[in-house]
């Protein structure tokens, strides 16, 4: 999220637009109930005022005093019932909105260009999905009712007070105006300061995740949290930022707190002056003194609004940054095929964010049912070229076609149906082995999963486990070796049975036994498929139909293993170095 994005003001209205109309209904009802609750909270003070006026009369009517008392008690009960109903509705509405926003975010990030994930760490993305969205709950469930009461009650009270005495009512507006000015200053100061928190917190999350994931290495080299530089610096930066924030905002918040409680300092002298002049009755004077103390108490709820809203705004901005990330859109073309799928690169060029050129004028034709190997030094562009086929990124120049149709013109779902992936870094769900294989095909049955596992040479191992296919993987489950994970991934790909295979040759870090079993599994997986293999161990591709040698983003040599050796070029040197090391 470091990328330069078009800045525009975003607020709660943007959040509500993400939530959708149905998810906001509970919040609207809650705001209405909260308003009624605020008005009900004022009724007892009116009854107290009317009782005071009765007490100044010569003939005090006890029945009226009791009636006023009953009305006051009833209003208090109604207020708390409405408040409880409002709180229940705001929490229901808040979690409905959070669910809707997270659902929209998850659907969106599943459609965006994979380049987004190279610019943003998993910690930053997790923070947006979890913490930035979660922070909205406090605002929606608590701040909205408080703000509603803080606005409705003073306005309602002032309208009534103006019917009693205009000068005394006007003087009580002074603390409100002064507090609004202070709040505006606080929001202006708080926004740039609090705007830094998401970035620092994102770094902190990334540091924590990296430290935890690398705990084995950290322990081996006796690296503590304090000596792990990235994590330590993120913690210190986060602490320093909050200390700085507190130093800036605490004095302003204190002044605002004093001002909102200062109504009596304005009402007492003016009321005394008007009473001595005969312009204010004693009962009214006493009533205004009471109201100057209590009628702005609800306004206290808004004092922290500047700080909270600044945090909310920065969180919403981060949500919007993710939502503004461009989705990959497909077309409506269909690939016609009878006996296979041909993949072709036509003068393909690619760079990340239009910066350093990664690929340049790459031309390859991979005929139906053939194996094409990509080889080259680290950073030569071979992996990037393979990842352009499933549109992990889009080409900058040129095009990639399947049976002559540009992949950008294919529906994204159709393109994904044509492809299977087996990457060097095997991804496992924290679920059963069965589910880890079954994700390869929707509505797969037990027999299909087992057949795929047998073809991948992993069935016997699975059956040797106490719970077989229902064995759980992950932190609280069985730990698998790299070779076992790869065979599960191959079983997943076999189950999908896609006609095009992109394979990041995964035997680089396996022992001899696992490599043999993986090769047996690949014979089943790759049979009759158009295969693109990113090769690391050159002996695994000597039978490839063609080998493309990448260097600095270009294909510098192309041919079979024998042909390339005869050319006495880069591949020949790579082969000699490889065989010497072996």
């Amino acid at each position: 999220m470091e990328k330069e994005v078009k800045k525009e003001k975003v607020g709660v209205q943007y959040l509500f637009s993400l939530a959708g109309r149905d998810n906001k209904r509970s919040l609207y009802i809650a705001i209405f109930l909260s308003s009624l609750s605020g008005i009900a909270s004022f009724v007892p003070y009116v009854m107290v005022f009317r009782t005071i006026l009765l007490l100044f009369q010569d003939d005090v009517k006890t029945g009226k005093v009791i009636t006023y008392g009953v009305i006051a008690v009833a209003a208090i009960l109604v207020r708390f019932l409405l408040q409880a109903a409002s709180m229940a509705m705001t929490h229901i509405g808040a979690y409905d909105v959070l669910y809707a926003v997270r659902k929209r975010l998850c659907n969106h990030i599943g459609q965006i260009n994979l380049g987004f994930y190279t610019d943003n760490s998993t910690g930053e993305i997790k923070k947006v999905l979890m913490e930035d969205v979660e922070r909205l709950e406090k605002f929606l469930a608590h701040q909205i009712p408080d703000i509603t009461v803080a606005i409705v009650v003073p306005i309602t009270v002032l309208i009534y007070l103006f019917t009693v005495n205009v000068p005394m009512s006007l003087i009580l507006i002074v603390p409100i105006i002064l507090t609004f000015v202070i709040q505006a200053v606080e929001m202006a100061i708080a926004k740039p300061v609090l705007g830094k928190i998401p970035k620092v917190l994102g770094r902190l999350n990334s540091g924590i995740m990296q430290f935890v994931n690398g705990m084995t290495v950290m322990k081996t080299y006796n690296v503590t949290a304090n000596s792990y530089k990235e994590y330590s610096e993120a913690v210190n930066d986060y602490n320093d930022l909050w200390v700085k924030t507190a130093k800036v905002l605490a004095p302003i918040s204190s002044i605002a707190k004093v001002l909102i409680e200062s109504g009596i300092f304005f009402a007492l002298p003016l009321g005394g002056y008007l009473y001595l002049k005969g312009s204010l009755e004693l009962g009214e004077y006493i009533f205004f003194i009471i109201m100057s103390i209590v009628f702005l108490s609800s306004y206290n709820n808004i004092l922290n609004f500047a700080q909270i809203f600044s945090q909310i705004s920065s969180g919403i901005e981060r949500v919007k940054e993710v939502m503004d990330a461009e989705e990959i859109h497909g077309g409506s073309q269909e690939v016609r095929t009878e006996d296979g799928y041909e993949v072709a690169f036509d003068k393909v060029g690619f760079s990340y964010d239009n910066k350093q050129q990664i690929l340049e004028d790459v031309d390859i034709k991979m005929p139906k049912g053939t194996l094409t190997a990509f080889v080259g030094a680290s950073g030569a562009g071979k992996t990037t070229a393979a990842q352009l086929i499933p549109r992990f990124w889009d080409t900058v120049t040129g095009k990639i076609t399947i049976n002559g149709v540009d992949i950008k013109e294919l529906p994204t779902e159709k393109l994904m149906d044509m492809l299977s992936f087996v990457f060097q870094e095997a991804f496992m769900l924290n679920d059963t082995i069965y589910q880890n294989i079954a994700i390869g095909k929707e509505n797969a049955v037990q027999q299909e999963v087992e057949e795929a596992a047998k073809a991948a040479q992993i069935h016997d191992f699975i059956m040797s486990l106490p719970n077989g296919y229902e064995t759980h993987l992950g932190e609280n489950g069985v730990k698998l070796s790299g070779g076992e994970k790869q065979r599960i991934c191959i079983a997943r790909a076999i189950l999908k049975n896609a006609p095009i295979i992109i394979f990041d040759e995964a035997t680089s870090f396996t022992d001899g036994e696992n490599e043999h079993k993986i090769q047996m599994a690949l014979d089943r997986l790759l049979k009759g498929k158009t295969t693109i293999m990113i090769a690391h161990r050159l002996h695994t591709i000597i039978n490839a139909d063609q080998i493309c040698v990448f260097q600095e983003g270009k294909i510098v040599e192309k041919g079979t293993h024998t042909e390339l050796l005869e050319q006495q070029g880069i591949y020949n040197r790579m082969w000699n170095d490889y065989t010497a090391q072996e």
Side-chain angles (χ1 to χ4, degrees):
M1 282 163 245
E2 304 284 344
K3 292 167 65 175
E4 192 70 29
V5 294
K6 184 175 75 174
K7 290 289 183 181
E8 57 180 278
K9 291 185 178 180
V10 292
V12 180
Q13 69 277 9
Y14 176 75
L15 174 67
F16 281 170
S17 71
L18 290 180
R21 182 169 53 186
D22 293 340
N23 295 301
K24 296 181 287 187
R25 189 178 295 115
S26 298
L27 289 175
Y28 291 145
I29 295 172
I31 289 171
F32 176 71
L33 294 175
S34 187
S35 301
L36 294 179
S37 172
I39 293 171
S41 68
F42 173 60
V43 172
Y45 297 110
V46 176
M47 296 302 104
V48 169
F49 172 52
R50 291 185 177 276
T51 303
I52 290 173
L53 293 180
L54 281 176
L55 294 176
F56 279 98
Q57 296 177 6
D58 294 333
D59 183 18
V60 179
K61 296 180 180 180
T62 308
K64 278 193 173 183
V65 173
I66 293 173
T67 301
Y68 292 155
V70 171
I71 293 173
V73 171
I76 292 170
L77 292 174
V78 169
R79 177 208 169 183
F80 284 116
L81 287 174
L82 290 171
Q83 191 177 46
S86 173
M87 290 297 290
M89 295 301 292
T90 54
H91 279 80
I92 292 171
Y95 286 114
D96 283 344
V97 170
L98 262 60
Y99 170 77
V101 171
R102 281 203 178 105
K103 187 176 179 181
R104 286 280 297 274
L105 275 168
C106 289
N107 287 338
H108 179 70
I109 63 176
Q111 301 295 324
I112 59 181
N113 195 297
L114 191 66
F116 174 83
Y117 298 97
T118 64
D119 297 327
N120 303 281
S121 67
T122 53
E124 290 176 310
I125 298 170
K126 168 188 169 290
K127 181 188 171 299
V128 173
L129 279 171
M130 299 302 297
E131 296 173 30
D132 286 338
V133 176
E134 191 66 33
R135 196 180 289 123
L136 303 177
E137 184 273 334
K138 182 178 180 182
F139 175 77
L140 296 172
H142 301 277
Q143 289 297 100
I144 284 184
D146 290 347
I147 291 168
T148 302
V149 171
I151 293 172
V152 171
V153 172
I155 291 174
T156 306
V157 171
L158 279 173
I159 291 172
Y160 179 78
L161 292 180
F162 270 106
T163 66
V164 178
N165 187 280
V166 174
M168 289 296 293
S169 301
L170 289 172
I171 199 66
L172 290 178
I173 298 177
V174 174
I176 298 177
I177 295 173
L178 293 175
T179 305
F180 265 116
V181 172
I182 294 295
Q183 285 280 287
V185 172
E186 186 174 9
M187 288 186 73
I189 294 174
K191 188 168 184 179
V193 176
L194 295 175
K196 298 177 182 177
I197 290 177
K199 181 180 177 181
V200 175
L201 193 55
R203 282 182 52 220
L204 181 60
N205 279 326
S206 297
I208 291 171
M209 292 178 69
Q210 194 171 33
F211 183 74
V212 172
N213 291 336
M215 188 59 70
T216 305
V217 176
M218 303 297 178
K219 293 280 285 183
T220 302
Y221 290 95
N222 199 27
V223 177
T224 64
N226 287 331
S227 57
Y228 178 45
K229 186 177 179 182
E230 184 175 343
Y231 173 66
S232 181
E233 286 181 352
V235 170
N236 291 331
D237 289 346
Y238 188 66
N239 178 70
D240 293 343
L241 185 58
W242 271 113
V243 171
K244 181 181 177 181
T245 302
K247 287 180 178 178
V248 171
L249 298 183
I252 302 174
S253 297
S254 300
I255 294 171
K257 181 74 173 175
V258 170
L259 279 173
I260 206 60
E261 299 284 357
S262 65
I264 192 170
F265 292 104
F266 296 91
L268 192 63
L270 179 64
Y273 172 73
L274 294 176
Y275 173 69
L276 293 174
K277 281 186 62 179
S279 302
L280 187 68
E281 297 293 333
L282 179 60
E284 294 173 347
Y285 182 28
I286 295 172
F287 177 65
F288 270 98
I289 290 174
I290 294 172
M291 294 309 299
S292 68
I293 297 172
V294 299
F295 106 99
L296 286 177
S297 60
S298 61
Y299 198 71
N300 277 317
N301 295 323
I302 211 168
L303 287 179
N304 294 325
F305 179 68
Q307 180 177 337
I308 292 172
F309 189 74
S310 292
Q311 290 182 346
I312 296 299
S313 295
S314 62
I316 296 174
E317 286 176 1
R318 303 284 282 185
V319 170
K320 190 175 186 300
E321 283 183 28
V322 176
M323 292 300 297
D324 285 346
E326 187 177 355
E327 293 186 1
I328 295 178
H329 296 288
S332 57
Q333 295 289 324
E334 294 288 336
V335 171
R336 295 183 180 179
T337 180
E338 294 180 356
D339 56 352
Y341 292 77
E342 178 183 270
V343 181
F345 282 59
D346 182 11
K347 297 189 180 302
V348 168
F350 175 75
S351 61
Y352 296 107
D353 297 326
N354 296 317
K355 295 177 182 176
Q356 182 181 357
Q357 190 81 9
I358 306 299
L359 297 174
E360 184 177 353
D361 289 331
V362 175
D363 277 307
I364 322 169
K365 183 172 285 187
M366 293 163 268
K368 304 170 184 179
T370 61
L371 168 61
T372 299
F374 291 174
V375 301
S378 177
K382 56 187 185 296
T383 300
T384 301
Q387 290 176 340
L388 291 178
I389 300 171
R391 295 188 67 189
F392 283 4
W393 292 272
D394 276 334
T395 60
V396 176
T397 58
K399 63 181 180 179
I400 300 173
T401 62
I402 297 178
N403 286 359
V405 180
D406 191 332
I407 59 173
K408 294 180 183 179
E409 299 301 321
L410 295 172
T412 305
E413 296 80 8
K414 295 287 186 182
L415 177 62
M416 291 301 105
D417 287 342
M418 297 178 197
L419 304 169
S420 281
F421 315 92
V422 181
F423 294 123
Q424 200 170 14
E425 186 176 339
F427 171 74
M428 296 286 113
L429 296 170
N430 287 329
D431 207 329
T432 62
I433 292 177
Y434 179 89
Q435 291 299 333
N436 268 281
I437 297 175
I439 60 173
K441 180 181 179 181
E442 189 176 2
N443 301 321
V445 298
Q446 180 80 27
Q447 183 179 353
E448 291 176 309
V449 171
E450 290 186 8
E451 288 297 325
K454 289 175 182 176
Q457 306 296 312
I458 192 67
H459 174 76
D460 291 341
F461 168 76
I462 295 172
M463 296 307 297
S464 70
L465 298 172
N467 297 318
Y469 281 86
E470 295 304 312
T471 301
H472 273 263
L473 305 180
E475 291 184 7
N476 298 319
V478 171
K479 304 294 188 293
L480 302 180
S481 70
E484 290 157 355
K485 288 180 180 178
Q486 282 299 334
R487 279 181 278 155
I488 287 176
C489 289
I490 292 172
R492 188 187 295 165
I494 290 173
L495 183 63
K496 184 175 182 180
N497 196 31
I500 302 171
I501 305 292
I502 300 172
F503 182 67
D504 190 349
E505 191 253 294
T507 61
S508 304
F509 306 107
T510 57
D511 55 40
E513 181 182 354
N514 267 310
E515 181 178 354
H516 175 66
K517 289 180 178 178
I518 289 174
Q519 290 295 344
M520 291 174 63
L522 288 179
D523 289 341
R524 176 69 179 269
L525 170 64
L526 306 182
K527 187 176 181 180
K529 308 293 176 62
T530 303
T531 305
I532 298 92
M533 178 180 287
I534 304 164
H536 304 281
R537 287 186 171 182
L538 297 185
H539 74 270
T540 62
I541 55 155
I542 56 176
N543 294 320
D545 296 287
Q546 65 174 332
I547 299 170
C548 299
V549 182
F550 282 78
Q551 186 178 56
E552 296 181 355
K554 297 180 180 180
I555 296 180
V556 292
E557 292 179 2
K558 192 188 304 181
T560 64
H561 174 73
T562 303
E563 290 170 347
L564 292 177
L565 290 180
E566 290 174 352
Q567 291 179 21
Q568 297 291 310
I570 295 174
Y571 182 81
N572 182 65
R573 291 197 297 272
M574 291 174 61
W575 177 257
N576 289 335
D577 291 341
Y578 173 75
T579 53
Q581 290 173 2
E582 289 294 302

